[in-house]
Amino acid sequence: MGSRCPKHGLHIFRIQHKTVNLNKGTRPVPLILSLALFLCGLGVTHLVERELASRVQTAADLRFDDFVSERTNKIQGQLQRYVDLLPGLRGLWSVAGEPDAKMFHLYVDALHVSERFPSLANLNYSDYILTGDSAKYEGFVRKNDNNPSFSIFPKTTPNLHRLVVRFVEPSQMGYFGRDIGTNVLDESHLFGQQAASGTASTSGLPISQLKGWPGPGLGIRLAIYRGGGVPPVKDRQKLFQGSVGLFVNIHGLIHEAIPGSDWRFLSLRLRSLPWTSEQETVDRNLFSSEPLDTHSATKSRVRRFSVAEREFELVATVPEDRFLDVIGAHIKQISYTIGGFLSAGAALILYLLMSLNTRLLATVTTQTSTLSSTRRQVSELLSKQLLAEKTIAEQGEKERQEIGRELHDDLGQKLTGASLMLRSLTHANASVDERRSVAKRVSEIVEDSIHTIRALSHGLTPFGSRNHDLAAALSELCAEVSPLLTEGCHLRIAYDTELLSEVDALHLYRIAQESIANALRHSSASRVCVELRDTAGRPTLTISDNGTGIDSLPTFQEGVGSRSIRSRAELLRMSARFVRNDAGGTSVVIE
């Protein structure tokens, strides 16, 4: 073995040498080693499980953070969308000076509040008056606004000024005359430093709603100053005329922003944060959903956002395992199950390897024999390929000799005759008719020679400039052969020939060409059929004739042409069969 294949023989020798050493050495007890490997595997499994659990939890926390941020942005966006109504409402005072109740109603009605802003309790306008002028102001509104029941409440207030609701839409009697200044601890958010930009502001305090709305509401106001615009801070209280405001049902607004499916696992708490000058002791909780009905641990995230010069804090709470995927929720069980199986499998494999050492030696011997057999098969395949290439070369040499004879015997003689005939034209005594006859004959010889050259050229390069278009080449071949057969040459193609390489297409064309030539030379056929079909994605070529056929298959002797067909089929990694068909002729099947 070593002399036939030194490289492989040396390799096998080394394997055998190591195995023998293992057998001869002091071998530990297989069971003890397998148990040690199993325990090591469990230790590694524990470390891997810890790392995977940490990564899974990190991924879940990121998903929770994204979830809370998205819901916070939605709540902020919804609240800001409501606040954005106020600048347009303040614009009425810039256009109309001081609108009346009807104009205020028409403007609000055009906003389609109930459809677009379902959580808006009302839009309102409040006048800023001295508390001592309350009675006088009541009489003014009763007369000018045609509201005889108008009355300011509460009746008493410790504040020097009052901010009294005069217009309300949708109209709700319970709000007319309400002194919303009692809900404001510090008027600086209306015309102080915090409102320097002239934007809307809110006290952030929860306000009880009328008509049985669930939960508190949030009042947001935008100051209106005489003369329009936002005056300097020192002039604001003097020029302060009143304010437009809105009253938002916080419970409804949050449910607008968060879909109902989230509330199955989500608990929210929303509160406003005080300015540094405000008291922290005041209750600022605007919304609290039901606590989660769960016995498992929970986790929370806090987000802050600003709307109407006020900062709000949102606390979202979910079950601890809410954002774990299916695998992440069971990562411990999965890790230990897989790790246990792998550890047990590795221990079992080690035990079997050590116990079945003798079988390994037998396997090496068997593989050595198989390798030798494989080498012989490869050698035989190489020999067949060399033989096929030699046969193709012989066929090519034969074709070149035939082309040489054709050029010498046919084309050469024709051109020689034409040359001699042209010389005869140089005789002075030749008549005009004789010269015309000679010229005509020379033209016929030249045309015949051109036809011969084209035929030879097509035989050498059947595809021409068509980039191995086998279908077109076979069609031309059948067209050339058809006049030589009584019933013609028929072609049927049911395979995409563009899938073939140029070499494969040329081999199939030469096989068809040789098979048709054999049918014309030896079988006395009157009909030839060429079929290229698709068989499970591979081409199958069949050339059938109705000639005399193969007399006796066991004694069938192959000539150079038949051997060439077989050789080309082998180069295509296909086989060639010569069989008698139903018409009594011969079929060449390449598959």
Side-chain angles (χ1 to χ4, degrees):
M1 185 75 185
S3 61
R4 291 179 60 188
C5 185
K7 180 180 178 181
H8 294 290
L10 180 61
H11 180 63
I12 294 168
F13 170 76
R14 289 175 178 172
I15 294 175
Q16 292 174 344
H17 179 68
K18 289 181 180 180
T19 306
V20 170
N21 285 343
L22 184 60
N23 285 333
K24 290 182 178 180
T26 303
R27 186 173 62 181
V29 179
L31 187 59
I32 296 176
L33 285 180
S34 299
L35 181 59
L37 180 61
F38 176 72
L39 294 176
C40 288
L42 290 182
V44 172
T45 298
H46 177 73
L47 295 177
V48 171
E49 186 273 333
R50 292 292 88 197
E51 178 65 22
L52 290 177
S54 175
R55 296 191 179 191
V56 166
Q57 189 59 52
T58 300
D61 289 343
L62 289 175
R63 285 193 287 270
F64 183 33
D65 289 340
D66 292 342
F67 173 85
V68 175
S69 296
E70 181 184 356
R71 297 317 185 262
T72 303
N73 291 338
K74 285 186 176 180
I75 293 174
Q76 180 185 14
Q78 284 293 87
L79 188 55
Q80 185 61 52
R81 192 169 71 92
Y82 281 61
V83 172
D84 289 342
L85 291 172
L86 295 178
L89 197 62
R90 182 173 64 179
L92 283 175
W93 274 258
S94 299
V95 175
E98 183 175 341
D100 55 21
K102 182 178 180 181
M103 187 179 298
F104 189 84
H105 169 76
L106 291 175
Y107 180 82
V108 175
D109 191 50
L111 295 175
H112 302 288
V113 170
S114 59
E115 293 85 6
R116 297 173 56 200
F117 306 94
S119 298
L120 186 66
N122 64 65
L123 287 164
N124 58 77
Y125 166 70
S126 301
D127 274 323
Y128 188 64
I129 64 172
L130 285 169
T131 302
D133 293 340
S134 296
K136 180 180 178 181
Y137 179 74
E138 286 177 350
F140 168 78
V141 173
R142 289 170 185 170
K143 178 180 178 181
N144 278 33
D145 295 348
N146 194 24
N147 187 359
S149 62
F150 182 82
S151 177
I152 299 175
F153 66 94
K155 288 299 182 181
T156 61
T157 176
N159 299 328
L160 180 63
H161 291 84
R162 284 188 156 184
L163 199 59
V164 181
V165 176
R166 180 178 175 185
F167 301 147
V168 178
E169 291 293 338
S171 179
Q172 299 173 27
M173 294 303 297
Y175 285 101
F176 284 111
R178 186 171 187 171
D179 180 6
I180 59 176
T182 59
N183 297 314
V184 180
L185 299 181
D186 185 354
E187 292 182 345
S188 62
H189 70 277
L190 287 176
F191 40 75
Q193 292 290 348
Q194 287 81 358
S197 61
T199 57
S201 61
T202 177
S203 67
L205 297 177
I207 304 173
S208 300
Q209 300 183 64
L210 303 182
K211 295 181 62 177
W213 289 71
L218 179 66
I220 303 173
R221 312 214 61 78
L222 184 61
I224 298 176
Y225 299 96
R226 295 180 182 85
V230 181
V233 175
K234 62 182 179 65
D235 298 328
R236 286 183 187 169
Q237 189 167 7
K238 180 177 63 176
L239 297 176
F240 185 57
Q241 175 181 349
S243 66
V244 289
L246 52 84
F247 194 21
V248 181
N249 172 25
I250 294 298
H251 183 278
L253 181 136
I254 290 180
H255 281 79
E256 277 185 56
I258 298 179
S261 57
D262 287 354
W263 296 106
R264 291 182 288 104
F265 61 86
L266 177 65
S267 176
L268 282 183
R269 182 169 61 86
L270 178 67
R271 62 187 292 264
S272 65
L273 299 179
W275 292 332
T276 54
S277 59
E278 294 176 328
Q279 296 293 328
E280 178 61 47
T281 57
V282 179
D283 180 19
R284 291 186 172 274
N285 287 319
L286 295 169
F287 177 85
S288 293
S289 63
E290 292 294 330
L292 294 174
D293 183 16
T294 176
H295 300 292
S296 61
T298 60
K299 57 184 177 181
S300 300
R301 290 290 186 274
V302 178
R303 293 289 185 274
R304 291 184 177 182
F305 62 91
S306 296
V307 174
E309 304 295 335
R310 177 69 60 176
E311 191 171 19
F312 295 87
E313 180 182 79
L314 181 72
V315 181
T317 304
V318 298
E320 194 169 43
D321 59 352
R322 170 59 197 171
F323 288 92
L324 291 174
D325 53 25
V326 176
I327 295 177
H330 302 88
I331 191 64
K332 187 172 185 178
Q333 297 90 322
I334 293 173
S335 298
Y336 279 110
T337 300
I338 295 176
F341 275 115
L342 292 178
S343 300
L348 178 62
I349 290 172
L350 177 62
Y351 179 81
L352 292 176
L353 286 175
M354 297 182 68
S355 301
L356 302 177
N357 187 44
T358 303
R359 286 190 180 183
L360 178 62
L361 291 175
T363 302
V364 170
T365 303
T366 303
Q367 293 297 327
T368 302
S369 176
T370 303
L371 179 60
S372 299
S373 175
T374 302
R375 289 179 60 232
R376 286 194 298 273
Q377 292 176 4
V378 171
S379 178
E380 290 174 1
L381 289 175
L382 289 175
S383 299
K384 287 183 179 180
Q385 185 173 1
L386 290 174
L387 179 60
E389 292 175 353
K390 181 180 179 182
T391 302
I392 297 300
E394 292 175 355
Q395 179 69 10
E397 181 61 29
K398 179 184 175 183
E399 292 175 353
R400 284 193 292 273
Q401 291 176 1
E402 290 179 356
I403 292 171
R405 285 196 299 271
E406 188 75 20
L407 290 173
H408 180 271
D409 297 343
D410 185 12
L411 188 60
Q413 291 179 7
K414 290 177 181 178
L415 293 178
T416 300
S419 177
L420 293 173
M421 295 178 73
L422 288 173
R423 288 181 185 177
S424 67
L425 295 177
T426 61
H427 295 295
N429 56 353
S431 65
V432 174
D433 292 337
E434 288 176 341
R435 291 182 179 180
R436 287 177 178 174
S437 176
V438 170
K440 181 179 179 182
R441 180 58 182 154
V442 169
S443 176
E444 292 173 352
I445 292 172
V446 171
E447 289 180 0
D448 191 23
S449 299
I450 292 172
H451 178 74
T452 301
I453 291 172
R454 286 177 177 171
L456 291 174
S457 174
H458 184 265
L460 291 172
T461 56
F463 300 136
S465 60
R466 290 188 297 271
N467 191 20
H468 65 274
D469 188 350
L470 179 60
L474 290 176
S475 179
E476 291 183 9
L477 178 61
C478 287
E480 293 175 359
V481 172
S482 283
L484 305 177
L485 297 164
T486 306
E487 299 180 39
C489 180
H490 303 273
L491 174 64
R492 181 176 179 270
I493 295 179
Y495 181 82
D496 187 359
T497 57
E498 292 184 0
L499 299 176
L500 297 169
S501 67
E502 184 174 359
V503 174
D504 290 350
L506 182 59
H507 281 314
L508 289 173
Y509 176 81
R510 294 301 186 196
I511 290 172
Q513 189 181 42
E514 185 65 34
S515 300
I516 294 173
N518 288 341
L520 292 174
R521 293 193 197 104
H522 308 299
S523 68
S524 302
S526 63
R527 177 186 177 91
V528 173
C529 294
V530 180
E531 182 181 12
L532 180 63
R533 66 180 184 275
D534 191 314
T535 305
R538 289 175 55 83
T540 298
L541 178 64
T542 304
I543 303 96
S544 303
D545 63 62
N546 62 349
T548 56
I550 300 173
D551 294 332
S552 177
L553 288 175
T555 60
F556 171 62
Q557 299 295 324
E558 291 187 354
V560 176
S562 301
R563 290 198 301 273
S564 172
I565 291 173
R566 288 194 185 279
S567 298
R568 290 186 185 276
E570 289 177 359
L571 291 176
L572 288 167
R573 297 170 299 284
M574 302 170 74
S575 62
R577 294 190 294 115
F578 300 85
V579 298
R580 184 187 297 277
N581 56 42
D582 295 339
T586 302
S587 291
V588 180
V589 182
I590 310 298
E591 58 187 1

